[in-house]
Amino acid sequence: MFGQKSGYPMPQDTATSPFNGSYTALITPFSNGKVDEAAFRKLVDFQIENGTHGLVPVGTTGESPTLSHEEHDRVVEMGIEQAAGRVPVIAGAGSNSTDEAVRLAKHAAAAGADGVLIVSPYYNKPTQEGLFQHYTQIADQVEFPQVLYNVPGRTSCDLLPETIARLAPHENILGIKEATGDLSRLEKLKKLISDETFFLYSGDDATATDFILNGGHGNISVTANVVPDLMSKLCDFALEKSSEAKVIENKISNLNEMLFLESNPIPVKWALSRMGLIDIGIRLPLTNLSKEHQQTLQEELLKLELI
């Protein structure tokens, strides 16, 4: 139901993604072990007020593996309610169970999301044919814009460019979040996929600038949780092929690195807590940022005048 493939309104330039720019992979705040709804709504407003182009709740950064089904659904609903149409919301809907991913995608569509982000199945280690059938079944059963999500460092399986090219023609598959950080993947995807209504998003903040400068359409970002204004400007400049994108990239390059000192979202949640936006809560098996890294990250937050 999106893009030229299915008749949903598109920009006049068909090579322009409906989800251009910086999309924040939102954290899920916890307080006393429960989802902190007030803090989550505050984060949504903070993001929109600081220029983010869109929101992506309950993905990897949102700790979706440790949310109950009820919590997952509620966070999606809150994101949509609080955004109130000000920016698009692409809801995380991935699972290592195909049937569960279908249910999550259907819920997001019914709740009013603008699209869903579907991570490759984790732990199962499917073959490329299994990945193709997984994504195809979801796209067949849910007539709704879907973004594939390849992050082999977290899933232990790699959605290869050739498989992505097989999936690209499906009318409900809008594009892919490519989080390998390997820019050669972008070039290979561009060569394999000629469809101008299939869009390419970075999922790696450190290489996002070059990804967009070389033909990508946006960035689904961890760093944007902390500096939504800078990341949105960076993406705008990169889409315009302006050298100003590199200026901002240099400014936040250390932050990009430090937010991955430990497994995401450990560092970003610590940073947001220091900024006074959330409590420090995180769910096991993840733990709070170790003391050996706290001073380094705090110094960078001070340097950027975030605390």
Side-chain angles (χ1 to χ4, degrees):
M1 295 176 63
F2 214 87
Q4 281 196 338
K5 296 176 182 177
S6 51
Y8 193 97
M10 280 279 288
Q12 289 184 350
D13 178 2
T14 57
T16 300
S17 163
F19 298 141
N20 268 355
S22 174
Y23 276 64
T24 305
L26 280 173
I27 65 100
T28 302
F30 299 114
S31 182
N32 297 319
K34 296 182 179 180
V35 174
D36 188 337
E37 296 198 3
F40 181 81
R41 291 180 183 276
K42 182 180 177 182
L43 286 174
V44 170
D45 288 341
F46 169 74
Q47 287 291 319
I48 296 172
E49 289 163 5
N50 284 279
T52 198
H53 299 117
L55 303 171
V56 186
V58 290
T60 304
T61 311
E63 296 177 77
S64 56
T66 51
L67 295 178
S68 69
H69 290 184
E70 293 78 14
E71 288 173 327
H72 188 119
D73 291 350
R74 182 58 187 148
V75 173
V76 169
E77 292 161 5
M78 283 195 298
I80 295 163
E81 290 167 8
Q82 197 67 22
R86 291 177 288 171
V87 297
V89 175
I90 303 174
S95 173
N96 58 350
S97 161
T98 305
D99 287 345
E100 184 174 310
V102 168
R103 189 203 72 77
L104 291 170
K106 285 182 175 179
H107 171 266
D114 297 279
V116 289
L117 178 71
I118 303 177
V119 72
S120 292
Y122 38 87
Y123 187 76
N124 313 50
K125 298 183 75 171
T127 62
Q128 293 301 302
E129 182 61 27
L131 289 169
F132 175 77
Q133 292 193 28
H134 171 80
Y135 280 116
T136 299
Q137 184 164 318
I138 299 166
D140 285 347
Q141 293 190 37
V142 189
E143 294 185 7
F144 193 64
Q146 298 169 32
V147 178
L148 315 175
Y149 179 14
N150 185 41
V151 57
R154 302 294 289 244
T155 63
S156 295
C157 69
D158 190 355
L159 184 63
L160 296 178
E162 293 79 6
T163 306
I164 297 166
R166 289 178 67 195
L167 291 163
H170 199 292
E171 64 179 2
N172 294 322
I173 295 177
L174 179 73
I176 183 164
K177 174 184 176 181
E178 176 56 64
T180 60
D182 179 0
L183 291 172
S184 69
R185 284 289 182 98
L186 174 64
E187 293 308 311
K188 191 161 189 179
L189 287 168
K190 287 165 60 181
K191 288 178 182 177
L192 287 171
I193 302 168
S194 59
D195 186 348
E196 289 190 343
T197 62
F198 185 84
F199 303 105
L200 305 170
Y201 305 99
S202 172
D204 179 65
D205 285 310
T207 58
T209 306
D210 286 331
F211 188 97
I212 299 171
L213 287 170
N214 287 284
H217 299 90
N219 180 31
I220 299 177
S221 170
V222 175
T223 302
N225 278 280
V226 178
V227 285
D229 53 343
L230 292 176
M231 187 57 73
S232 62
K233 289 173 184 175
L234 183 156
C235 290
D236 282 339
F237 283 129
L239 287 165
E240 295 167 2
K241 310 303 180 191
S242 167
S243 61
E244 289 298 316
K246 283 291 186 179
V247 174
I248 299 176
E249 179 189 45
N250 290 338
K251 183 174 183 176
I252 63 173
S253 60
N254 287 340
L255 180 64
N256 285 335
E257 180 180 345
M258 291 174 190
L259 292 180
F260 291 89
L261 287 169
E262 294 180 11
S263 296
N264 177 47
I266 291 172
V268 71
K269 293 193 87 170
W270 189 87
L272 289 170
S273 71
R274 288 292 295 117
M275 292 167 65
L277 290 170
I278 65 169
D279 287 344
I280 194 60
I282 198 164
R283 277 192 177 163
L284 289 170
L286 298 183
T287 54
N288 292 327
L289 185 66
S290 59
K291 290 184 178 179
E292 65 183 289
H293 292 137
Q294 290 179 13
Q295 185 63 33
T296 303
L297 182 50
Q298 176 158 303
E299 288 173 0
E300 189 63 24
L301 297 176
L302 287 165
K303 178 181 174 183
L304 293 170
E305 300 182 343
L306 297 171
I307 57 175

